Amino acid sequence: MKFEILAPAGSQESLIAGVRCGADAVYLGGKVLNARRNAGNFNDEELKNAVEYCHARGVKVYLTLNTLCGDGELSAAYNLVKQALTFGVDALIVQDFGIAQMIKSCFPDAKLHGSTQMSVMTPEGVSALKEMGFSRAVLPREMTAQEIAEIRKSTDMELEIFVHGALCMSVSGQCYLSAMIGQRSGNRGLCAQPCRLSFSADNSQSFDLSLKDLSLIRQLEAIGNLGVVSLKIEGRMKRPEYIAAAVCAVKKAINGDYSIKDEITLKSVFSRSGFTHGYFMNEMNKSMFGTRQKEDVVAAKDVLKELSHLYDNENPLVPVDIEFECVNNKPVKLTAAALGKTVCASGDIPEKAINKPITQDSLRDRLSKLGGTQFYADHIKITLDDGLILPVAKINALRREVVEKLSRAEEKSVNCKPLPKISPRIKAGKPYFTAKFSDAAQVPDNHPFKRIFIPIWSSAEDFIDNRAGVEIPRGLFGKEQEITQQLEKLKKIGVKTALCGNIGSYRLAERLGFQAFADFGLNVFNSISARQFNAPILSFELTVDEANRISADDTGVVAYGKLPLMLTRNCPVKNNIGCARCGKNGILTDRKGIQFPVVCSPYPCVEILNSVPLYMADRMKEIKTDFIHFYFTDESLEEIENILLLYKNEAKADFDYTRGLYYRGVL
């Protein structure tokens, strides 16, 4: 099948490298609201020029709007979308559910691609995206071939996967480690990559959160059989030579020409002790882990200069059909067709030749001289009367004129509606309490919670005895059918509510007749997204003031708990010391000696928790949301009862704690 090669463009030079080496599309960001804010990125004028450059070469442009967006940024997002669509951007890559809703409401003709930051990993999740107006889903890098096949069978949406580049340890969109440690949020485009530092399961200063780079270039046949249409290369922070090498490698692999030499070049330009294909091949083990070594850095020096020559000059990648008419008593006419448009140029009336008239062959030779441009002559049709002459300079001028017309961008008229104003909502009264427990044994007999949730793997008796709702795991890779069966059983015994941290589980719970509640994993960051879900627990990357100002019914914040800093499919403890030695009591220790609990479950992912709990009991007067949520993990029943007493009295904590990001915010 025909693939789209999708190249990253963090700068103009990287964009040129990707296009000249054969990318079919590029993805790039504006100066704001994109997941690589530290890349060079493109201001309005640069974006306009980038689209013009790409479209003149038959290359599509996708703009990344793949970060969370606060209420105060909605206007900037609206203006960026409008400008980008005016320039002719082909699609918008979006993470934030509020931004997606705004775009479809205000720009109904815009094409939406669901970012991997949306954590869509199940057929139900992809179905939800389609209902929201998305045309493509960018699937998580953690998916196996079998899981991708399951999604392909369920939908006719376009599917895009990463085939080369860096691998995050956490599921995209579910990592809060950088934000909590240093306010640099991955969900806001400023991840500091603390996972590349030492986090050790055996306290040996090992690097148990650092994965090798992904490379699926040798699996393109299998990927094609899965019905994936777009092959995405990661690397908007990488140098142009890297983009050139990766695009050329993918192109060669599509043509069946990828060799060991090409792989060595790729490893040399950038790797972390080599590459991995672990998730795709369902081989999740220690071999997936790696760090950037001195020899990796040294190897790059030998290939960078050679790679830079791959995009030195324009490559003739675009076919053009040419018709030339040179007849008696009529101005000569040159017509050229390429890139879906047809243009014309007219010249002088040809004169009668005194000596040597022009010929079909000489005209064909002159018209096909498109060197130095992105075009090459595909079909040339010439209508020529005998005995005529036309100066070479005139022919060249006509040829240059049609090339310039074919390359010229046309601003598009944009079908748009004004951005609706968000009216403030006044909230009164003390917030009510809700809670999630890791185990039913933690639930106190006389608790103050309006809603409680326990894990889906709890017993029927636990649900009945505690009148509890079901917490559906955020990591659902390949488990949707199993989850569905379990939810159907719970429905039959009277469970009515479900806490959902993933768009797939939220829509599944609704479809099965549960009252679905939105957990923090949906990353609700603004009023528009908050209005799309029932009683959302807002993102804990908001400040208290920002959360208080969210204008939607029945919103809440996490007010207590060891916040999950990562949701990861590849257990860092299992891959270092093994499950037997761990005994479900895994700990990661960072370079400063701080310990982070690692919590496993019967489902495909583990959670890495913060070292100390978020605590807000003595600041309750500052919280104006409708409810507060307690996120209980490894606390004993006795500890939970003590915590509830502290919150009842709004007292100071008698243990180590954090205020999270509620007063620091994220950058």
Side-chain angles (χ1 to χ4, degrees), residues 131-144:
E131 287 176 23
M132 293 176 190
F134 286 82
S135 62
R136 178 183 293 188
V138 187
L139 298 180
R141 280 163 268 208
E142 299 79 23
M143 298 193 75
T144 67

Side-chain angles (χ1 to χ4, degrees), residues 491 495-497 507-516:
K491 193 84 169 58
V495 178
K496 297 179 180 178
T497 59
R507 291 304 172 90
L508 176 62
E510 284 191 321
R511 182 168 63 78
L512 294 176
F514 288 84
Q515 185 180 12

Side-chain angles (χ1 to χ4, degrees), residues 232-290:
K232 189 170 195 170
I233 298 165
E234 183 277 337
R236 281 194 288 147
M237 299 289 289
K238 298 287 199 313
R239 57 195 305 155
E241 294 90 342
Y242 173 93
I243 314 304
V247 171
C248 287
V250 174
K251 198 167 185 69
K252 284 186 175 183
I254 291 172
N255 296 329
D257 299 328
Y258 186 62
S259 66
I260 290 291
K261 182 182 177 183
D262 297 316
E263 186 168 320
I264 290 171
T265 298
L266 266 185
K267 286 180 180 177
S268 297
V269 71
F270 191 92
S271 77
R272 291 180 171 90
S273 311
F275 300 134
T276 179
H277 55 224
Y279 289 122
F280 186 79
M281 306 294 286
N282 201 19
E283 297 170 357
M284 286 167 259
N285 51 48
K286 196 165 186 175
S287 70
M288 289 184 69
F289 291 78

Side-chain angles (χ1 to χ4, degrees), residues 65-85:
L65 276 164
N66 53 343
T67 64
L68 302 182
C69 180
D71 280 356
E73 298 166 312
L74 291 172
S75 179
Y78 176 92
N79 291 334
L80 178 56
V81 171
K82 185 175 181 179
Q83 194 76 282
L85 295 176

Side-chain angles (χ1 to χ4, degrees), residues 3 190 232 250 346 500 600:
F3 289 116
L190 283 176
K232 189 170 195 170
V250 174
S346 297
C500 313
C600 58

